[in-house]
């Protein structure tokens, strides 16, 4: 089935412990350039509505004024109701030993999804390993190996351009993605099975791994209903 491409994927932005007002101002401005309005600030280290931040945001000051201050990536995930949480890194080896997938932006942009929370790391040290583990996927922008880390506002501009370019194609093969209630139902069935298995010591980690797999695979409604039948047996 071929259908008109749906350009309505919702993207929300979260910034972890922002440090510099200028960067935050530029982030708001770039968000406005690409039609994105929802901004989460995780434990900001300055007044996010400070004079410099507002000045450098130019005509996007409304994004800063409406930014939501939260305490964690998980809180931003819940409030954004994002289908998938995507982290960013300039040092891909931070995550090479983890279970989480690392993508280049062009590859990842081809995936079909309804909503995404894009997480930008700190201005100075990026995302920590435990924060990377909270993300369902990780994006790496290849740059000069002798100086690979981009300014977070510059990285955001590159990523949003790539996402916009991919979504602006006229047609796509239609997919019937699983709804959030269906995903929650499947995860609950899996969690019930895990909780009954006494051989599993870290039950929460196993359930989280299953949830990450579902998010990364972007399943259809039909696929999860078939999986529910197997899990409910």
């Amino acid at each position: 089935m071929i259908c008109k491409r749906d350009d309505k994927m919702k993207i929300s932005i979260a910034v972890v412990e922002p440090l510099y007002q200028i960067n935050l101002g530029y982030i708001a401005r770039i968000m406005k350039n690409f039609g994105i309005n929802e901004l989460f600030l995780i434990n900001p280290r300055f007044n996010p509505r400070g004079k410099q931040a507002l000045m450098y945001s130019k005509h996007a000051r409304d994004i800063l004024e409406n930014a939501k201050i939260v305490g964690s990536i998980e809180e931003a995930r819940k409030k954004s109701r994002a289908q998938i949480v995507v982290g960013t890194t300039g040092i891909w080896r931070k995550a090479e030993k983890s279970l989480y997938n690392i993508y280049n932006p062009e590859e990842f942009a081809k995936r079909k999804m309804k909503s995404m929370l894009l997480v930008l790391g700190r201005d100075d040290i990026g995302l920590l390993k435990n924060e990377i583990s909270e993300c369902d996927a990780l994006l790496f922008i290849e740059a000069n190996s002798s100086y690979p880390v981009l300014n977070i506002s510059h990285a955001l501009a590159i990523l949003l351009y790539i996402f916009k370019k991919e979504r602006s194609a006229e047609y796509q093969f239609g997919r019937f993605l699983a709804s959030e209630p269906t995903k929650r139902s499947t995860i609950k069935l899996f969690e019930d099975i895990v909780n009954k298995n006494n051989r599993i010591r870290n039950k929460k980690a196993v359930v989280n791994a299953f949830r990450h797999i579902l998010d990364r695979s972007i399943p259809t409604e039909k696929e999860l209903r078939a999986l529910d039948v197997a899990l409910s047996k």
Side-chain angles (χ1 to χ4, degrees):
M1 172 182 172
I2 298 179
C3 63
K4 286 277 187 177
R5 187 173 187 110
D6 182 4
D7 194 32
K8 294 182 179 179
M9 181 180 76
K10 179 191 173 190
I11 299 178
S12 303
I13 306 297
V15 187
V16 178
E17 296 185 1
L19 180 61
Y20 302 119
Q21 291 193 35
I22 292 176
N23 279 345
L24 189 59
Y26 282 141
I27 286 171
R29 189 172 174 178
I30 290 164
M31 289 175 62
K32 194 85 165 183
N33 288 150
F34 289 93
I36 297 170
N37 300 307
E38 188 168 54
L39 175 62
F40 294 92
L41 303 177
I42 301 173
N43 300 320
R45 290 179 276 179
F46 61 86
N47 176 8
R49 298 171 185 88
K51 183 177 179 181
Q52 272 195 326
L54 293 174
M55 180 175 69
Y56 281 91
S57 67
K58 293 288 186 180
H59 299 295
R61 63 180 296 157
D62 60 304
I63 291 178
L64 293 185
E65 290 169 349
N66 295 317
K68 303 175 180 71
I69 297 176
V70 296
S72 65
I73 293 175
E74 182 60 26
E75 186 178 354
R77 174 201 283 268
K78 289 179 180 177
K79 291 191 174 181
S80 68
R81 297 182 179 179
Q83 179 184 7
I84 187 169
V85 176
V86 181
T88 54
T89 184
I91 306 173
W92 66 269
R93 290 187 182 278
K94 270 188 181 184
E96 69 170 322
K97 293 182 180 178
S98 75
L99 299 174
Y100 307 101
N101 286 351
I102 305 173
Y103 299 89
N104 65 54
E106 293 87 351
E107 175 190 10
F108 188 81
K110 296 182 185 299
R111 304 180 65 174
K112 310 302 184 294
M113 59 198 80
K114 295 179 180 178
S115 59
M116 172 175 65
L117 177 67
L118 183 61
V119 181
L120 302 176
R122 297 165 185 80
D123 308 69
D124 46 355
I125 60 171
L127 293 175
L128 304 178
K129 286 187 177 181
N130 66 300
E131 292 164 339
I132 287 173
S133 70
E134 294 185 59
C135 300
D136 303 305
L138 195 67
L139 300 183
F140 169 72
I141 299 173
E142 185 176 358
N144 190 320
S145 59
S146 64
Y147 191 33
V149 180
L150 279 70
N151 176 282
I152 56 174
S153 65
H154 298 172
L156 179 63
I158 293 170
L159 294 174
L160 294 185
Y161 170 75
I162 291 171
F163 293 146
K164 178 70 174 177
K165 183 178 178 182
E166 176 62 28
R167 296 200 313 277
S168 64
E170 185 176 2
Y171 293 100
Q172 70 170 354
F173 286 95
R175 295 185 63 186
F176 300 93
L177 299 180
S179 66
E180 288 303 311
T182 300
K183 287 172 62 178
R184 286 196 295 269
S185 174
T186 303
I187 293 168
K188 180 63 170 59
L189 285 171
F190 183 80
E191 185 176 15
D192 290 343
I193 293 171
V194 170
N195 286 337
K196 292 174 183 176
N197 190 333
N198 294 327
R199 292 178 298 172
I200 300 174
R201 297 179 62 184
N202 192 340
K203 293 178 168 43
K204 182 178 179 181
V206 173
V207 173
N208 282 339
F210 181 72
R211 177 169 63 81
H212 290 152
I213 291 169
L214 279 190
D215 285 335
R216 288 200 302 272
S217 64
I218 319 296
T220 64
E221 191 83 12
K222 192 177 237 183
E223 287 170 337
L224 286 197
R225 285 179 180 173
L227 189 58
D228 285 354
V229 172
L231 293 176
S232 63
K233 298 294 183 182

